[in-house]
Amino acid sequence: MTITEIGKTAKETAGAIGILGSAQKNDGLKAAAAALLEGEAEILAANQEDVIKAAASGMNAGLIDRLELTPARIEAMADGLLSVATLDDPVGEVLSMKVRPNGLTIGQKRVPMGVVGIIYEARPNVTADAFGLCFKSGNAVILKGGSDALESNKAIVKWLRTGLKNAGLPEDAIQLITDTNREVTKEFMRLREYVDVLIPRGGAGLIKTVVDNSTIPVIETGTGNCHIFVDETADFDMALDIIFNAKTQRIGVCNACESLVIHREIAPRFLPLLKERLSLKSVEIRADEEACTMAEGFVPATEKDWGCEYLDYILSLKIVGSVEEAISHINRYNTKHSEAIITSDYNNAQKFLNEIDAAAVYVNASTRFTDGFEFGFGAEIGISTQKLHARGPMGLKELTTTKYIIYGNGQIRP
């Protein structure tokens, strides 16, 4: 089908999905989850085609980690759909209802967006997550994945559609654009007649391209230059554990720690311990001039390092003299995603929470928790770093809008 035909089909299907009851949508999600598991062998084989091509093209380890599927990851995708099925359905929720002096009863009701378009890079798990959240919130979804994950996405969508068919529900609730031509992607970004909202999910280049070229309203999901500030009161063991987890648990994700800020008072004692701990994963530390004198093996940082999302076993490190200086540095270079402080000082914690400009701000915890599943949303459509409509992990409610509903008994305006 052409892009226009895909758009028309989605618009027609959205009307049918938007009036489904919660039980029908939950049945569809359960059937889709079962179908993913049924198609596991085919999905894994398709994914290996993508991984082999990606490795041959020189894709870095962090991005290959995002791309690669395993039986456990497919099971997690299915579990995500089942989890979404257990969540409260936001569609139809009445947010308020008030009686005006003229007798009109005016309220707001939560309704689906309609057609959601998603453009994303080599993360095939997004295919299932996006479908699950869009379907439960009553939306049709058009997906445009990256060419690196094309075979994986085709297999996943095939089995999701099979699940919907098995449940007697419209297969076109999910459609995948398989043409990898950039002009097709640009055409998709201008399909305003049929697509109600467009969500880019990927690196800075992809997001900028969508924001600059789309005529469809965009919900911007951001890159993650995430910081951890270790203040002068921090527990060293806690700090080392959190940093190690935030940096190395998965390097190719947007909520991984990319930058450290360390208080000058503890730096001479803490930095050798940090270097030893991160050496377990061969993490390269690009540090400022002062920090380079405190531990062996640090690489001198450049200005570019302070704002870099590495998606690799690399960290930047800055020494500061106060919580105020730490906040200033972080707010200058962060991407408004996730920031953390490790501290035993209540006042420092509260100041950090209040003054850091980011979608998620942590005290004594890893930034890796900025995730829809971890926040109890079942899955996520992306992590919004903008400030309009949605901010942070986007779940079901963020894929709905509202309309006013008005009850009268014959009122006319004088």
Side-chain angles (χ1 to χ4, degrees):
M1 288 196 292
T2 66
I3 292 296
T4 299
E5 288 170 337
I6 289 173
K8 286 180 179 178
T9 300
K11 199 70 171 178
E12 292 168 359
T13 306
I17 298 168
I19 60 174
L20 291 176
S22 297
Q24 290 172 292
K25 290 188 285 189
N26 292 341
D27 287 345
L29 291 168
K30 292 172 185 175
L36 279 183
L37 297 178
E38 181 185 348
E40 179 182 295
E42 183 178 335
I43 294 169
L44 288 175
N47 179 249
Q48 275 305 298
E49 288 186 46
D50 289 332
V51 169
I52 290 168
K53 289 178 185 175
S57 69
M59 181 182 286
N60 72 41
L63 294 179
I64 288 178
D65 176 62
R66 284 185 175 191
L67 172 63
E68 188 165 18
L69 293 175
T70 63
R73 288 184 179 179
I74 292 177
E75 185 175 357
M77 289 161 58
D79 287 345
L81 295 177
L82 296 176
S83 178
V84 171
T86 69
L87 299 175
D88 291 338
D89 189 343
V91 177
E93 177 187 1
V94 176
L95 304 179
S96 66
M97 190 65 75
K98 296 180 180 179
V99 180
R100 298 289 298 146
N102 62 6
L104 288 177
T105 302
I106 301 177
Q108 269 188 304
K109 182 179 181 180
R110 199 175 291 281
V111 296
M113 289 276 193
V115 177
V116 177
I118 303 176
I119 300 177
Y120 57 110
E121 292 176 337
R123 298 188 64 174
N125 64 296
V126 172
T127 306
D129 289 351
F131 158 73
L133 289 171
C134 287
F135 188 74
K136 180 66 180 267
S137 54
N139 299 293
V141 64
I142 301 173
L143 301 175
K144 177 66 177 70
S147 58
D148 292 327
L150 180 60
E151 298 305 320
S152 306
N153 289 334
K154 284 163 62 176
I156 292 167
V157 168
K158 170 189 170 181
W159 285 99
L160 291 173
R161 288 172 63 95
T162 297
L164 289 174
K165 183 178 180 180
N166 292 342
L169 295 167
E171 297 173 65
D172 289 328
I174 177 172
Q175 295 183 87
L176 177 70
I177 298 171
T178 57
D179 193 324
T180 58
N181 189 302
R182 289 187 178 181
E183 291 305 312
V184 171
T185 304
K186 288 184 179 180
E187 188 180 351
F188 180 34
M189 289 187 272
R190 295 182 171 92
L191 209 61
R192 190 182 180 100
E193 182 179 355
Y194 302 110
V195 181
D196 296 286
V197 64
L198 190 60
I199 303 172
R201 183 166 176 179
L206 168 68
I207 294 165
K208 185 178 187 304
T209 297
V210 174
V211 170
D212 289 348
N213 290 280
S214 178
T215 62
I216 303 166
V218 174
I219 299 178
E220 187 174 345
T221 63
T223 54
N225 180 25
C226 303
H227 296 72
I228 294 177
F229 170 46
V230 184
D231 83 353
E232 70 275 23
T233 71
D235 178 280
F236 281 15
D237 289 336
M238 177 192 291
L240 292 170
D241 287 344
I242 288 173
I243 292 168
F244 189 76
N245 174 263
K247 178 69 250 183
T248 70
Q249 197 251 350
R250 283 190 74 181
I251 59 169
V253 290
C254 60
N255 56 20
C257 176
E258 303 285 19
S259 302
L260 296 178
V261 183
I262 309 296
H263 196 284
R264 181 171 290 111
E265 185 178 317
I266 63 165
R269 293 175 289 128
F270 182 73
L271 293 189
L273 299 175
L274 175 71
K275 181 66 172 69
E276 181 181 4
R277 183 65 176 275
L278 292 180
S279 293
L280 296 175
K281 290 285 188 176
S282 300
V283 176
E284 177 182 307
I285 299 174
R286 298 182 182 177
D288 65 11
E289 185 177 351
E290 183 178 356
C292 284
T293 67
M294 298 180 186
E296 293 184 2
F298 287 179
V299 176
T302 67
E303 175 67 23
K304 183 179 178 181
D305 285 303
W306 305 135
C308 190
E309 183 188 34
Y310 298 109
L311 302 175
D312 203 347
Y313 289 102
I314 306 171
L315 270 173
S316 69
L317 191 155
K318 176 75 172 176
I319 300 292
V320 297
S322 66
V323 65
E324 290 83 6
E325 189 180 349
I327 291 169
S328 177
H329 176 81
I330 292 169
N331 281 340
R332 178 178 177 184
Y333 292 102
N334 76 350
T335 52
K336 317 303 182 191
H337 195 295
S338 300
E339 313 297 342
I341 182 173
I342 315 301
T343 184
S344 298
D345 185 291
Y346 174 82
N347 290 328
N348 279 357
Q350 293 305 114
K351 186 175 183 66
F352 194 86
L353 288 172
N354 291 337
E355 298 182 20
I356 286 292
D357 184 10
V361 186
Y362 293 83
V363 176
N364 295 333
S366 171
T367 57
R368 285 285 289 116
F369 287 103
T370 307
D371 174 88
F373 188 82
E374 294 292 340
F375 277 29
F377 302 160
E380 72 183 25
I381 208 74
I383 297 170
S384 171
T385 55
Q386 66 184 37
K387 298 180 181 180
L388 293 178
H389 175 68
R391 198 177 195 196
M394 296 167 56
L396 292 172
K397 287 186 178 180
E398 288 73 29
L399 290 174
T400 63
T401 184
T402 61
K403 66 180 177 183
Y404 281 96
I405 53 176
I406 304 99
Y407 293 92
N409 55 5
Q411 286 89 342
I412 59 173
R413 186 165 179 174

